[in-house]
Amino acid sequence: MKAILVRATGGPEVLRLEDLPDPVPGPGEARVRVEAAGVNYIDVYHRTGQYPQPLPFVPGREGAGTVEVVGDGVTQVRPGDRVAWAFVAGSYAEKLIVPAAMLVRVPDGLATEQAAAAMLQGMTAHYLASSTFPLEPGQTCLVHAAAGGVGLLLVQLAKKRGARVIGTVSTEEKASRARAAGADEVLLYGREAFAPHVRRLTGGRGVEVVYDSVGRDTFEGSLDSLARRGMLVLFGQSSGAVAPLDPQVLNQRGSLFLTRPTLGHYIAQRDELEWRAGEVLGAVLDGTLRVTIAAEIPLADADEAHRRLESRTISGKLLLKVSPG
Ligand code: NDP
């Protein structure tokens, strides 16, 4: 099979297409033929070594395709099932071994690409808005990178829960996209400090929650945007890692809460994975959650996909086309 292999960490050029032996599933595992693999920011952290991985490795954490073979004891899926997954290592490949308990069925009527595009970022937006800080009507949230892959989905899910959404983005074009997703207010955070505008838009109070995936460049402003006893949900670091913090800061700025969650801990139990994936894929199917596929790029050009993601010009989801359905 063909797969992208990273032999040494570095720039996008380290993503090279190679021939690898077809993997064989063990007990409790399934082998899937990957049709589409999702490109996520975490893949960049793995490629650069910011999140270290044993070398060599096949990158990618998300995709959808068809079950080919199952190992002993597998009850969740059968050969021929259309399935999707998130947080499974090695998805930039034509074939992938997945623990069967991490596969979910793609609902009839939903295109495989749509499922691949919605799983990781959709379930992330879902746990942020409904579990980490369960938004309620009347509350206001601040969503950074609101026109990004997670951002566009989080804006929609926050609106569905009745919250008011203030988004931040880097360009006017992205501002239009965030507004089209439902953001009530959109700020351009590169131009001037966003926290004073957040205060102004909330009558001086601040927001109940900030969903911050940008990290280094936004962290201080996020703290300054929170209402008393508000929560900073730091879930990514697209601009770089946040410096170590004295917990006393949380007291001084208003008895704040800080959490650094990861999707893996919100889908670790099979029933929670099924619930989250079911809600996300169901909403995509019935049209109440729109997934924007920014581009579909051949597997062999994974380096180009990473360049585009890091260029900040993408709004929505990047997919790698792996094998035809
Ligand atoms: P995005 O599509 O959101 O792309 C990243 C965006 O971040 C860019 O489009 C850009 O938007 C913004 N950004 C701000 N500063 C920078 C910078 N210096 N370099 C690059 N981008 C920058 O990516 P994803 O939706 O895939 O992921 C968003 C974030 O969420 C990532 O940090 C990722 O690691 C995190 N994440 C965390 C998960 C978790 O469970 N903890 C799960 C999934 C994702 P703009 O131009 O508008 O500033």
Side-chain angles (χ1 to χ4, degrees), residues 41 45 121 124 127 149-150 170 174 189 213 235 238 261 263 312:
Y41 228 89
Y45 305 144
Q121 293 170 338
T124 298
Y127 86 73
V150 175
S170 62
K174 286 187 175 182
Y189 51 10
S213 66
F235 70 100
S238 308
L263 173 62
R312 293 177 75 166

Side-chain angles (χ1 to χ4, degrees), residues 142 144 193-196 199 210 212 214-226 232 234 242-246 249 253 256:
L142 177 62
H144 290 311
F194 58 85
R199 292 266 164 214
V210 180
D212 188 341
V214 173
R216 186 170 58 204
D217 292 355
T218 47
F219 188 76
E220 278 294 318
S222 295
L223 289 173
D224 284 339
S225 300
L226 282 165
L232 174 46
L234 178 68
V242 174
L245 171 94
D246 176 358
V249 166
R253 310 246 186 140
L256 304 179

Side-chain angles (χ1 to χ4, degrees), residues 39-42 45 51 87 120-121 124 127 145-151 168-171 174 189 213-214 217 234-240 260-264 309-310 312-314 316-317:
V39 179
N40 292 284
Y41 228 89
I42 194 168
Y45 305 144
Y51 291 179
F87 256 57
L120 198 151
Q121 293 170 338
T124 298
Y127 86 73
V150 175
T168 60
V169 295
S170 62
T171 63
K174 286 187 175 182
Y189 51 10
S213 66
V214 173
D217 292 355
L234 178 68
F235 70 100
Q237 49 188 51
S238 308
S239 68
R260 178 60 174 91
T262 174
L263 173 62
L309 185 59
E310 288 177 276
R312 293 177 75 166
T313 54
I314 290 294
K317 185 75 196 177

